[in-house]
C-alpha cells in the first residue's frame, strides 16, 4: 500500500514539475528587420502627394551647379529657373533626392538641362521619373549627357544611344545659315538700339608753303653785227672829179 502511495506521489510531483517547466519557457519575439533611412547629400524640392521622386547620382566628373526642367512645351527657351539654390551644388560621387511637381499631371516625360562648374551643359531628353526603379546615375560622354538605371522590370538601362540620336537630330534640324543670319542681324539690331554719336567735323588747318624764289638766270647779250659802211674814195659826194684849186 505504501509503495502505491509513494508511486502516485512521485507521478504527481513529476507532472507538476513538467507543467511548471512548460510555463517557465521564455517566448522568443521575432523582430522584423528595420530598413535604415537613406541619407542623401542634397534634397531638391519638397515631398508631397503630387510630387514625382527620383534619386540622382553624379558620376560626370564635374560639379553640378545648375538644374532646369521643361514645362508642358519642350523648347530651348522653356526651361524653368535653376532648381538649385545659390549655394547648392552636387559634387562628383554625391547623390540628391529630387522631388518635382509637374505643371501638368498628364505630362510624363521632360527634358532636363544640367549645368556644370566649368560653364558647360548637357541635356537629358525624354526623362521619365516613373520608369526609374533605382537611382539614376548621371554620365557625360564626349559632351553628351546620359543616365543609367534599373527600370521597373529590373532591367539595366542606358540612354547613351538615345541621347546621341537626339543630339544628331537636333543638329540636322538646325538651319545651316542660322549662324550667318545671327551675324548679319546683330549689327542692324545694334544700330537701332544705339544712340547717335556726335562726330566732330574734321577741320584741316591750311599748311603754309614757303614761296619758291627763283634766281634770275644771266643771259649774255647777243651782239648784232653792224652793217658794213662803204669806204669813200677820192671822188666827191656828188661824183665827178674834184678839181683842186691852186
Amino acid at each position: 500500500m505504501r509503495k502505491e502511495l509513494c508511486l502516485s506521489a512521485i507521478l504527481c510531483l513529476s507532472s507538476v514539475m513538467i507543467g511548471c517547466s512548460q510555463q517557465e519557457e521564455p517566448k522568443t519575439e521575432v523582430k522584423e528587420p528595420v530598413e535604415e533611412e537613406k541619407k542623401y547629400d542634397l534634397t531638391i524640392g519638397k515631398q508631397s502627394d503630387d510630387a514625382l521622386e527620383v534619386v540622382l547620382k553624379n558620376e560626370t566628373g564635374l560639379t553640378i551647379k545648375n538644374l532646369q526642367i521643361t514645362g508642358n512645351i519642350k523648347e530651348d527657351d522653356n526651361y524653368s529657373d535653376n532648381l538649385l539654390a545659390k549655394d547648392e551644388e552636387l559634387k562628383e560621387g554625391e547623390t540628391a533626392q529630387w522631388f518635382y511637381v509637374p505643371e501638368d499631371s498628364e505630362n510624363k516625360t521632360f527634358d532636363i538641362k544640367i549645368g556644370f562648374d566649368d560653364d558647360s551643359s548637357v541635356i537629358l531628353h525624354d526623362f521619365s521619373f516613373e520608369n526609374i526603379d533605382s537611382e539614376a546615375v548621371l554620365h557625360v560622354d564626349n559632351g553628351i549627357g546620359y543616365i543609367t538605371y534599373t527600370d521597373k522590370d529590373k532591367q539595366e538601362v542606358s540612354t547613351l544611344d538615345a541621347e546621341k540620336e537626339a543630339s544628331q537630330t537636333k543638329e540636322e534640324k538646325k538651319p545651316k545659315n542660322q549662324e550667318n543670319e545671327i551675324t548679319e542681324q546683330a549689327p542692324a539690331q545694334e544700330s537701332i538700339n544705339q544712340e547717335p554719336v556726335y562726330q566732330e567735323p574734321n577741320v584741316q588747318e591750311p599748311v603754309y608753303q614757303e614761296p619758291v624764289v627763283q634766281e634770275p638766270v644771266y643771259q649774255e647779250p647777243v651782239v648784232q653785227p653792224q652793217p658794213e659802211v662803204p669806204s669813200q674814195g677820192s671822188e666827191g659826194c656828188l661824183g665827178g672829179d674834184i678839181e683842186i684849186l691852186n
Side-chain angles (χ1 to χ4, degrees):
M1 185 68 179
R2 290 182 178 178
K3 291 183 179 180
E4 293 178 356
L5 291 174
C6 291
L7 181 60
S8 62
I10 292 172
L11 292 173
C12 291
L13 181 61
S14 61
S15 62
V16 172
M17 292 180 63
I18 293 172
C20 293
S21 63
Q22 289 178 351
Q23 292 177 358
E24 292 177 356
E25 288 182 358
K27 295 181 179 180
T28 56
E29 295 181 359
V30 178
K31 294 183 179 180
E32 296 181 358
V34 178
E35 184 178 355
E36 295 183 1
E37 183 179 357
K38 294 182 180 180
K39 295 182 179 180
Y40 303 100
D41 300 288
L42 181 65
T43 300
I44 307 170
K46 294 182 180 180
Q47 187 176 9
S48 67
D49 295 337
D50 300 329
L52 302 174
E53 180 185 356
V54 70
V55 176
L56 300 177
K57 184 175 182 180
N58 181 13
E59 289 191 1
T60 62
L62 300 170
T63 298
I64 297 175
K65 304 281 289 186
N66 189 80
L67 182 66
Q68 297 172 270
I69 189 168
T70 55
N72 299 332
I73 304 175
K74 294 181 181 181
E75 294 180 355
D76 292 342
D77 57 351
N78 195 44
Y79 285 99
S80 67
D81 295 333
N82 187 6
L83 300 179
L84 301 183
K86 184 177 180 181
D87 298 331
E88 289 182 338
E89 61 184 18
L90 189 65
K91 297 180 180 179
E92 162 68 19
E94 292 184 342
T95 57
Q97 187 179 25
W98 181 14
F99 299 103
Y100 176 68
V101 179
E103 299 175 1
D104 184 0
S105 59
E106 296 182 359
N107 192 13
K108 301 300 181 181
T109 60
F110 310 86
D111 287 353
I112 299 174
K113 186 175 183 180
I114 301 173
F116 302 101
D117 55 347
D118 64 347
D119 295 331
S120 64
S121 62
V122 296
I123 296 177
L124 302 178
H125 299 86
D126 297 331
F127 183 92
S128 174
F129 288 83
E130 297 180 347
N131 194 39
I132 299 173
D133 185 61
S134 64
E135 61 186 12
V137 183
L138 302 172
H139 309 270
V140 174
D141 181 18
N142 294 325
I144 297 178
Y146 69 100
I147 59 174
T148 57
Y149 61 92
T150 303
D151 63 11
K152 299 295 184 180
D153 297 328
K154 306 302 179 182
Q155 300 293 324
E156 298 294 329
V157 178
S158 173
T159 63
L160 178 58
D161 293 338
E163 293 294 348
K164 287 182 178 179
E165 184 177 354
S167 178
Q168 184 177 359
T169 303
K170 185 176 180 180
E171 288 296 327
E172 291 176 353
K173 291 182 179 180
K174 182 179 179 181
K176 295 182 180 180
N177 58 347
Q178 183 176 0
E179 295 181 358
N180 295 333
E181 291 179 356
I182 294 173
T183 305
E184 293 176 358
Q185 293 175 2
Q189 184 69 22
E190 183 178 356
S191 62
I192 294 174
N193 298 330
Q194 188 175 7
E195 296 181 358
V197 179
Y198 173 76
Q199 294 183 352
E200 187 175 355
N202 187 11
V203 179
Q204 294 183 350
E205 296 181 358
V207 180
Y208 174 76
Q209 293 183 352
E210 187 176 356
V212 179
V213 180
Q214 294 182 350
E215 296 182 359
V217 179
Y218 175 75
Q219 294 182 352
E220 189 174 355
V222 178
V223 180
Q224 298 290 337
Q226 299 292 331
E228 293 183 2
V229 179
S231 62
Q232 297 180 356
S234 59
E235 294 183 358
C237 296
L238 301 176
D241 297 332
I242 300 174
E243 183 178 356
I244 302 173
L245 295 179
N246 294 327

